[in-house]
Amino acid sequence: MTPLLASMSQTAIPLSWYLAVALILFAIGTIGVLTRRNALVVLMSVEILLNAVNLTFLAFARHHDNMDGHVVTFFVIAVAAAEAAVGLALVLGIFRHNRSVNVDSMTALRN
Amino acid sequence: MVDDLLLISPLLIVTVMGLVSLLVGVFAPAGSFKGWLAFLTSFGFLAALGACYMLWHETSAGAAFSSQSFHYSLTLDHFGLALCGVILLGALLATLTAVHYLPAQKSDHAEYYALIAFSALGMMIMVMAADLLTLFVALEVMSISIYILAGFKRDSSFSTESAMKYFILGSFASAILLLGISFTYGATGTISMREIGLAVAGGDAHSELALFGMVMLIVAFGFKIAAAPFHMWTPDVYEGAPASVTGFMAVGVKAAGFGALARLLLTCFGAPEYRDGSAVSWETLIVILAVISMCAGNLMALAQKNLKRMLAYSAIAHTGYLLMALLVVPASSDGEQALNALGGGLVFYLLAYTLANVAAFGVAAAVGARGVEDAGEEAYAGLAGRDPMLAFALTIAMLSLLGIPLTAGFMGKLTLFGELLSSGGGEYLWLVVVAVVNSVVSAYYYLRVVMVAYMQDESAEKPIALLKSAPLRVAVGVAAILTLVFGIMPNKAINASTRAGYSLVHTSNPATYGARVSAAKPAITSTVEPKDVAHR
């Protein structure tokens, strides 16, 4: 570690701040998934959730000074891309049937 | 290196089959019959089953990979192999039900078989995963394939909608799982399950972070295995997805989820304080989930008119019974004996559940293939007259799910409840009573299906044509016969699943496994400092 980096890490923002930001982001994403009616906005909220988790992984990786968290983050980014691809395709499928991407319009299955 | 490839041969076979199906799909002319791919994929599943069988005899309890090939991300033990076998059996039979079902639904695409293979691959890796990253990626491979399969009938709003609902809740659950992994990692500084277990047991872990991570992991798995109160997606998805997919989804996801959950909890949070000690123990959470799942699933199943929807609620109830198997372990003082019990209860019950559900959903596929998508009870009226064999298979499936003697489901319940009673010194007597009462209640909706099939007459105005499909009949017949075989002669299967549980003793107990492996190979002792990992 170079002296510059060492001095930076001494004055670095403490771990709990990163975790607080991540948990706030996670809460925002959760509220988005649960309350928003537009399927596309729900997909965006899921992305916020995943990025909130990425932030915690990076903060913990930095805290523990090992690479596991960084590696996980890369995998999460890749998986999020795959999920988004499937999610957008499903939104298109829903739109072809309902002419709407409102999740409230999905009422075919209900008893 | 080559030896290690042999050790993962079931995974390789399934991967290759998936890729082959995908390639064939590109070159096969559009609109041609793709059912023959089902036989190819089934052959792959059979070969993988054979490979699992070979490996079962090759490995002593908890064999490790011989080099650093997979960076200790997989555990090869009898527990994983047994669950791989259950998953492959489910995949094999569910694939055969699709051969003529998909053309009848006008969605005969080669990708179907590739996606079945890939999701089976994800499930198999899930039950073998030895670190949390592998677990997450495997779970996503499984989930994303299943999302697509649930929406496979693209011109049906039912199917598309069920896929969308599953996708939204599933990806939410994945995010919660990741949060759990992240905080467990934060508490211990490692993503290897064994090292997490050592850190937690040794008191090196930050206990609040670890506890938060554990709760989040249980919640996320609760979504995947359809435990109440995280079951909201289950009825809609089971009803809307094509019947052949639902059959696979019901059995595969459950087996994989329970396998991964058992390994995760026992390996990472096996320390007494997370079981029955001072902190919130996972035992408590599992008891709560089990009771809510059993009661909610059974009560809501009573009102269902649609077989697929009824089976969805029955799946929730069975999640409740299966969760009880996880409790057998901590309740006993003798670790090895207790883990025997876990294997006998969990793996054998999953096997019985798999066979019964494959048969039931196979019949649902045959009945619902032409025209009627959300076939209610009336579609099954007079089934005994129209097709005695399917009606008989449906009866056996229902009796097995209910737990009537001479079926595998009875032996499963008997083993599971008996072991829970004997291992806890009567601590869980009340839970077993709740489960038995629930089983009695479930007789109402299981037997009603049988009654409709045998007693009622076919509706005259709109008779429903059954799907004529030899592979489907073979799959349903094999599932029904195996249900009877395992119900009448369960000894071999119970012994095998007991052995599976026994191997989980070694691979999940950080003390014994870590010590045994480190004696042979010093490079992967659990005392690797975080600094060393960073520099490697």
Side-chain angles (χ1 to χ4, degrees), chain B residues 20-393:
Chain B
V20 167
S21 310
L22 213 50
L23 266 182
V24 169
V26 175
F27 293 109
S32 65
F33 177 65
K34 307 287 194 321
W36 59 275
L37 268 175
F39 300 115
L40 190 69
T41 337
S42 307
F43 178 73
F45 288 139
L46 258 185
L49 260 179
C52 279
Y53 184 77
M54 300 284 283
L55 286 175
W56 176 277
H57 290 291
E58 292 285 313
T59 32
S60 58
F65 291 98
S66 58
S67 68
Q68 292 203 347
S69 316
F70 306 109
H71 203 272
Y72 311 108
S73 58
L74 293 176
T75 310
L76 193 78
D77 59 357
H78 286 154
F79 182 71
L81 284 174
L83 284 175
C84 279
V86 172
I87 291 162
L88 286 168
L89 189 64
L92 169 68
L93 297 177
T95 310
L96 289 178
T97 60
V99 178
H100 295 106
Y101 175 79
L102 289 180
Q105 297 281 355
K106 298 184 186 61
S107 40
D108 193 17
H109 306 294
E111 291 84 359
Y112 182 89
Y113 303 105
L115 287 167
I116 290 270
F118 290 144
S119 53
L121 173 72
M123 292 165 185
M124 288 161 70
I125 302 179
M126 251 177 97
V127 297
M128 292 167 80
D131 71 40
L132 296 178
L133 175 57
T134 313
L135 177 67
F136 168 70
V137 174
L139 186 128
E140 286 298 314
V141 168
M142 173 188 85
S143 301
I144 292 178
S145 309
I146 298 267
Y147 301 149
I148 307 172
L149 283 172
F152 206 73
K153 235 168 8 175
R154 275 177 302 182
D155 50 358
S156 149
S157 60
F158 288 99
S159 179
T160 321
E161 195 180 307
S162 77
M164 190 70 210
K165 285 179 172 168
Y166 194 19
F167 173 80
I168 292 174
L169 282 171
S171 45
F172 185 45
S174 302
I176 293 178
L177 179 86
L178 271 176
L179 194 68
I181 294 176
S182 158
F183 275 78
T184 315
Y185 167 63
T188 56
T190 170
I191 53 169
S192 149
M193 287 192 199
R194 193 188 316 137
E195 288 174 25
I196 290 171
L198 279 167
V200 167
D204 301 331
H206 190 293
S207 57
E208 279 90 16
L209 289 182
L211 193 63
F212 181 74
M214 182 191 79
V215 173
M216 288 296 124
L217 288 169
I218 291 179
V219 169
F221 272 100
F223 272 103
K224 289 292 168 195
I225 60 178
F230 313 110
H231 65 283
M232 298 81 73
W233 57 272
T234 320
D236 284 355
V237 176
Y238 275 42
E239 185 187 348
S244 58
V245 175
T246 316
F248 178 57
M249 188 165 75
V251 300
V253 175
K254 190 151 286 185
F258 268 101
L261 182 63
R263 192 188 292 284
L264 181 76
L265 286 180
L266 295 177
T267 314
C268 296
F269 301 104
E273 70 203 80
Y274 288 91
R275 290 177 167 179
D276 44 10
S278 50
V280 179
S281 60
W282 56 260
E283 230 184 290
T284 319
L285 295 175
I286 296 289
V287 169
I288 295 170
L289 286 183
V291 172
I292 300 179
S293 302
M294 275 189 270
C295 297
N298 274 315
L299 287 180
M300 288 192 282
L302 293 177
Q304 302 309 319
K305 294 288 179 201
N306 180 309
L307 179 69
K308 278 159 85 183
R309 212 175 169 84
M310 184 276 273
L311 285 171
Y313 285 111
S314 125
I316 297 168
H318 281 274
T319 297
Y321 304 140
L322 278 162
L323 280 170
M324 289 165 55
L326 299 179
L327 299 170
V328 173
V329 194
S332 167
S333 54
D334 179 5
E336 297 211 345
Q337 198 176 358
L339 276 161
N340 284 344
L342 168 86
L346 189 72
V347 180
F348 187 80
Y349 199 100
L350 279 170
L351 177 66
Y353 176 81
T354 297
L355 293 170
N357 263 299
V358 165
F361 281 108
V363 176
V367 170
R370 296 192 196 281
V372 276
E373 263 184 304
D374 54 339
E377 223 168 40
E378 67 280 356
Y380 299 87
L383 187 67
R386 283 183 287 164
D387 194 326
M389 184 243 154
L390 285 186
F392 185 63

Side-chain angles (χ1 to χ4, degrees), chain B residues 468-484:
Chain B
K468 294 270 175 275
S469 166
L472 185 145
R473 300 174 74 85
V474 169
V476 169
V478 166
I481 289 169
L482 284 181
T483 301
L484 286 179

